[in-house]
Amino acid sequence: MRLRKVIYAAALATLFVSGCAANNKEVVEAETSVEAPVEDLTKVTLAGNEVSVPIKVSDIVDMGFTLESTDMETIGFNQDCVGYFKSPDGAMLIANIGVQEGEGLTPEEGYAFDVLEDIGNTQGDGVLSVYGGISISSSVEEVEAVYGEPTFNDGSDKLYYKIIGDAAYSDMVCVAVIDDKVKRVEVCNAKEFKEIPVATPSDSE
């Protein structure tokens, strides 16, 4: 996915300027903490509203957000566009938007299946909280009370996540920390919007 760069060890390097690729620090990989029910992992609080990802774009608009812009005019199944939302008080939210079937549909007809807030792209207003009530304003101690030890840790940059369902879709709740401050929270639940290619014998030759 074009927007989501916070996945796995290589993602730390692309998200964090001082990440592991930049300073050649050793990345310590930890086991993810005990799995939670999918229905709990997909729940978020968005501008005070409890909803589950994926979220209809129209429902986000009904919460008072404006879809300011998208990078595609129409979308179909297995496609997604990046949408930028703004709340009445100026809080920003970024989402990958897709549809479950069809083609030539507008983003306004779709679902936000990947929602995020981070410091740098969205001002970090705390409009989004993810599993465990974690938001941009949470402390590292609060994050670790819910997620356990970081999945990836190079000392100053840490990545915490919980897998949602089938790992083949890279669906997860993700919390990124830089220098002991939460810098990004994100939930992706793309299974209904993406087609995962099935490997054939020729693919591995």
Side-chain angles (χ1 to χ4, degrees), residues 4 7 12 15 17-18 42 48 83 116 124 140 142 154 156 172 187 189 192:
R4 292 197 306 121
I7 302 178
L12 283 168
L15 177 67
V17 174
S18 59
T42 59
L116 72 88
V140 175
E142 289 171 328
D154 79 343
S156 59
M172 65 177 68
V187 179
N189 189 16
E192 296 177 15

Side-chain angles (χ1 to χ4, degrees), residues 22-126:
N23 55 26
N24 296 317
K25 292 181 181 179
E26 180 181 359
V27 175
V28 178
E29 183 172 346
E31 294 294 331
T32 55
S33 51
V34 177
E35 293 299 325
V38 169
E39 59 269 24
D40 291 342
L41 293 174
T42 59
K43 288 179 181 177
V44 300
T45 299
L46 180 57
N49 300 278
E50 292 187 2
V51 291
S52 292
V53 178
I55 314 166
K56 286 184 178 179
V57 170
S58 60
D59 287 346
I60 298 176
V61 172
D62 286 345
M63 294 176 199
F65 285 84
T66 301
L67 181 55
E68 296 279 292
S69 64
T70 62
D71 67 348
M72 295 173 63
E73 293 184 357
T74 62
I75 50 178
F77 176 72
N78 207 38
Q79 296 179 318
D80 60 278
C81 71
V82 181
Y84 300 87
F85 295 85
K86 182 179 286 188
S87 74
D89 60 3
M92 297 292 295
L93 180 78
I94 301 177
N96 279 78
I97 299 170
V99 295
Q100 295 164 315
E101 59 183 1
E103 59 183 22
L105 300 172
T106 66
E108 288 82 1
E109 297 175 275
Y111 289 76
F113 64 80
D114 183 347
V115 295
L116 72 88
E117 182 178 20
D118 68 7
I119 293 177
N121 294 314
T122 66
Q123 291 89 53
D125 294 298

